[in-house]
Amino acid sequence: MCGIVGLYFKNTAMEQQLGSLFRPMLISMTERGCDSAGFAVYGDEYDAGIKLTLRSNDTNFNWIALADQLATQFGKVDEWFRNNTVAVFKLPVNEATALNWLKQNAPDIEVMSAGHSIEILKGVGLPAEVADHFNLANMKGSHAIGHTRLATESAVTIQGSHPFSTGMDLCLVHNGSLSNHNRLREKLKRAGIDFKTDNDSEVAAGYLAWRLSQGDSLQTALQNALKELDGFFTFTIGTRDGFAVLRDPIACKPAVIAETHDYVAMASEYRALANLPGIRDANVWEPEPAKLYVWERNSTTTAGAV
């Protein structure tokens, strides 16, 4: 099963409503995925370095001490805040420098996301519980994608829940199953991609990260995914500027898209979209098989075939 939702604002005046509109979308997919949930929120831009979302298994972890260590190492921490069991840090250094320091000095800290805009938040439990754990209803931003999981390929863990990070400000959520994930995982390991779980969806994310590292554009990477990922899938990919939707050539897994002058929304089922403002006047359609749909800021909205 599993459920996917996404919401992207074309009208920036709506950004204050992101969490309040997105939370019911995520919760509406509970019947498709009740064991864990997660979401990526884009907003609160930081361009002076790297923005990291970090997580600890220790509910009493001393985030203040870590902030002091980071400030000592890098001269300052531009900003940091705690959101329940995670913390978001804005550091005036590049990604590699920050991640290398964390690996050496805080190896038990899990990096949930890295970029200039993205924050990935996820947990085990009902979607409503996960949403409220991180206060989703009050979040602001330009867009968000989310996932509700019913595990079929691996254990129910935070690490196995979606979204999976695929690079700077990039992440992927997946509804479906891949039949060649074990073979492809071994190939990607040899290419230097690390995996934390046995989840087949993590292989899709790792594949995308690998193609991007080889110089592919996002569109080219997804075109290659159609050729090399064997199985059924609907993917939604979050980027700093928007999101993309892609279904496999058979289009076995459901998806629906709605677009108005103010927003673009997608979901596994229409009921996730039914209460959005202006939905009665929206252009609503089912995305075609093997066709890439992309909406991003600073570019023309496209729905181009791949």
Side-chain angles (χ1 to χ4, degrees), residues 4-8 144-146 171-175 208 218-219 222-223 226 233-239 242-248 251 253-258 264-268 273 285-296 302-306:
I4 294 175
V5 289
L7 179 61
Y8 164 70
I145 65 170
C171 67
L172 173 146
V173 294
H174 169 213
N175 174 28
L208 181 58
L218 179 59
Q219 179 166 331
L222 289 168
Q223 288 172 336
L226 285 170
F233 55 82
T234 292
F235 292 142
T236 298
I237 301 93
T239 77
F243 73 90
V245 177
L246 178 66
R247 302 173 78 192
D248 67 73
K253 294 300 178 178
V256 60
I257 296 173
V264 180
M266 71 80 55
S268 296
L273 313 178
W285 75 97
E286 180 180 350
E288 296 180 19
K291 184 173 181 178
L292 178 60
Y293 297 82
V294 182
W295 291 268
E296 291 187 318
T302 60
V306 296

Side-chain angles (χ1 to χ4, degrees), residues 132-154:
D132 293 344
H133 184 77
F134 295 113
N135 196 23
L136 172 58
N138 291 317
M139 288 187 171
K140 305 173 180 63
S142 56
H143 56 295
I145 65 170
H147 185 271
T148 65
R149 185 176 184 229
L150 180 63
T152 56
E153 294 288 341
S154 60

